[in-house]
Amino acid sequence: MMPFPAGQHILLGITGGVAAYKSADLVRRLSSQGAEIQVVMTEAAKAFISPLTLQALSGRPVRDTLLDTEAESGMGHIDLGRWADTLLVAPASADFIAKLAGGLASDLLTTVCLATAAPVVIAPAMNQAMWLKPATQRNIQTLAADGVHLIGPDSGEQACGDIGPGRMLETWDIISELESLNVKKSLAGIKVTVTAGPTWEALDPVRGLSNHSSGKMGYAVAEAALKAGAEVNLISGPTTLSPPRDVVLHHVRSADEMLNAVKRVATDCDIFIGVAAVADYRPSQIEMSKIKKDAKHVTLELIRNPDILSWVTSQETKPFTVGFAAETDNPLEHARQKLEKKSLDIIAVNHVSADHSPFGSDENQLVVITPDEDIDLGRHPKTRLASTLIDTISKKFHESYKT
Ligand code: C5P
């Protein structure tokens, strides 16, 4: 592994506060150590420091507008969130902290914070009275519970003449705090294989059988594993999604092709996560030319596809294995049976109901079942759910080595 921050993509958010002058030094020092910096500024930040200074130091145009068609056609707000390995907001004003705690997406910075699966780190900077106000303290507690990392603030003499807590940390303190967060990446050096998307079982050159799956959840899981420091192989059925940067992508179509790809990579992985919606059956034969539609009735003979997860868990040295289940009736009970039948370590369950289907949606609701407990991860955007799921998997994976 390269020493931090070399090669890291750091999205630096700058909000309105006098401490914004320190952000220029932060950009300079992180860049000179090999990090790539993309600055995103709020309108208020521009009153304190010029975007031109930050553009010159980071070598990239500063982004400041959410609804900017030209910038969005290049790297839009979703892509910015994906690009970032870490999202650092320094200085983070009281106003920005309140917006983040409230889940607002009212400008580019708050929107990227909401869209990213990368760790969000904030370095607050404000007058001591503003910092100590119950509203700010409530917001800080909310952010901590949401998994946002807080660095600082420092205490001492403030630009306004007050003395107390609220000063932004100095550049080197921020860098060393970032470094220690980075060292704590929960899956650093761990090899993870993820299957995603549907499979396509051809009937003839134009027709086939498939399952409902956009691949969004599997891709989000692969991305969250990457952000946690893992080396990720993503074995994907047909989807229209662009893969996360830095995964090793294996395109497959049928369940058989998926199994072959799994056989190539999964024997050398530590954690296997089967998110793919694998078709249970395939036509017994594939016609070489398009089947004519003259007949009134057509009978298809289907044969059972291999169960990929069961193949993985039947190996002598099996990885820590996680399955997914989408169930309509008694989801927890059925999922528990599947956990046992397929010898899984964890199964993540979607409840599919008339009023909520996870297919194609950006949101999902998951319960994680292990042999010892059920953990309700709640309903959230798939990106956020994926990072909570990866945190849970990582914890259980490391525990399994202690027992
Ligand atoms: O048995 P069921 O299809 O409900 O199980 C779902 C889980 O099993 C998912 O994790 C899916 O990726 C995996 N699976 C598989 N191979 C199959 C069918 C499902 O790996 N043939």
Side-chain angles (χ1 to χ4, degrees):
M1 259 171 105
M2 283 184 284
F4 180 85
Q8 287 278 311
H9 288 183
I10 298 178
L11 190 145
L12 175 64
I14 306 179
T15 70
V18 68
Y21 78 90
K22 294 184 190 170
S23 311
D25 190 38
L26 197 53
V27 174
R28 197 176 67 81
R29 295 199 189 276
L30 285 169
S31 311
S32 71
Q33 290 179 59
E36 289 188 45
I37 312 288
Q38 171 66 60
V39 175
V40 173
M41 294 177 86
T42 63
E43 272 313 299
K46 290 192 277 180
F48 291 91
I49 186 164
S50 149
L52 202 58
T53 307
L54 297 156
Q55 172 172 323
L57 292 170
S58 66
R60 289 166 184 269
V62 166
R63 296 288 302 275
D64 55 8
T65 320
L66 178 59
L67 303 171
D68 175 342
T69 36
E70 204 177 305
E72 287 281 309
S73 68
M75 181 146 56
H77 58 280
I78 302 290
D79 293 323
L80 279 173
R82 288 194 178 140
W83 175 88
D85 293 314
T86 304
L87 214 146
L88 167 67
V89 184
S93 65
D95 178 66
F96 168 79
I97 287 170
K99 283 180 178 151
L100 194 61
L104 294 193
S106 51
D107 59 12
L108 181 61
L109 184 57
T110 46
T111 307
V112 176
C113 286
L114 215 50
T116 194
V120 177
V121 184
I122 61 168
M126 67 197 74
N127 165 269
Q128 53 88 24
M130 293 168 75
W131 172 254
L132 293 171
K133 272 276 147 55
T136 305
Q137 291 303 311
R138 261 198 317 273
N139 291 333
I140 289 290
Q141 276 172 16
T142 303
L143 292 180
D146 287 350
V148 171
H149 302 278
L150 183 74
I151 55 179
D154 209 351
S155 198
E157 198 172 327
Q158 302 203 298
C160 55
D162 279 5
I163 295 177
R167 271 168 46 140
M168 188 165 95
L169 290 184
E170 296 305 326
T171 310
W172 283 119
D173 295 326
I174 292 178
I175 294 176
S176 82
E177 292 266 5
L178 278 183
E179 195 169 1
S180 57
L181 286 175
N182 203 266
V183 168
K184 281 191 226 143
K185 280 193 165 184
S186 62
L187 293 180
I190 301 296
K191 292 181 183 159
V192 174
T193 301
V194 180
T195 65
T199 63
W200 175 261
E201 311 298 333
L203 266 167
D204 68 21
V206 293
R207 303 188 186 94
L209 307 175
S210 192
N211 269 351
H212 239 340
S213 170
S214 64
K216 283 180 187 165
M217 192 65 209
Y219 277 53
V221 167
E223 185 160 356
L226 269 179
K227 301 277 186 206
E231 286 171 40
V232 181
N233 275 284
L234 174 61
I235 301 174
S236 172
T239 75
T240 54
L241 304 173
S242 27
R245 188 176 57 90
D246 293 341
V247 295
V248 181
L249 181 68
H250 308 259
H251 272 302
V252 296
R253 282 164 74 82
S254 64
D256 253 343
E257 284 176 23
M258 188 171 273
L259 178 62
N260 286 335
V262 166
K263 285 180 176 170
R264 282 196 302 277
V265 297
T267 43
D268 180 35
C269 84
D270 304 297
I271 300 178
F272 183 91
I273 311 175
V275 196
V278 184
D280 293 317
Y281 293 92
R282 67 174 182 275
S284 57
Q285 65 181 66
I286 305 175
E287 299 299 334
M288 299 311 280
S289 42
K290 190 178 169 191
I291 303 166
K292 295 278 173 271
K293 58 177 175 189
D294 308 334
K296 238 185 171 173
H297 298 281
V298 175
T299 306
L300 291 178
E301 191 190 39
L302 302 177
I303 49 176
R304 192 68 188 263
N305 265 333
D307 191 295
I308 296 170
L309 274 183
S310 300
W311 180 86
V312 171
T313 55
S314 67
Q315 299 311 294
E316 206 173 314
T317 49
K318 74 179 183 94
F320 187 88
T321 314
V322 182
F324 265 67
E327 302 285 345
T328 48
D329 312 308
N330 297 332
L332 300 186
E333 199 181 307
H334 280 121
R336 234 171 256 121
Q337 287 164 5
K338 225 165 261 181
L339 179 85
E340 266 180 43
K341 189 167 159 224
K342 301 195 186 202
S343 307
L344 305 174
D345 295 290
I346 288 181
I347 191 155
V349 198
N350 294 298
H351 187 182
V352 184
S353 62
D355 60 327
H356 179 71
S357 162
F359 303 120
S361 162
D362 287 329
E363 272 207 342
N364 203 1
Q365 183 169 4
L366 282 185
V367 177
V368 166
I369 298 183
T370 76
D372 319 312
E373 59 178 332
D374 296 354
I375 309 165
D376 189 349
L377 302 187
R379 181 182 295 193
H380 298 290
K382 285 179 177 171
T383 46
R384 174 160 167 209
L385 210 47
S387 55
T388 321
L389 177 66
I390 285 294
D391 286 347
T392 312
I393 292 173
S394 153
K395 189 166 159 260
K396 297 286 174 192
F397 166 75
H398 291 295
E399 276 172 15
S400 73
Y401 278 92
K402 288 188 197 135
T403 53

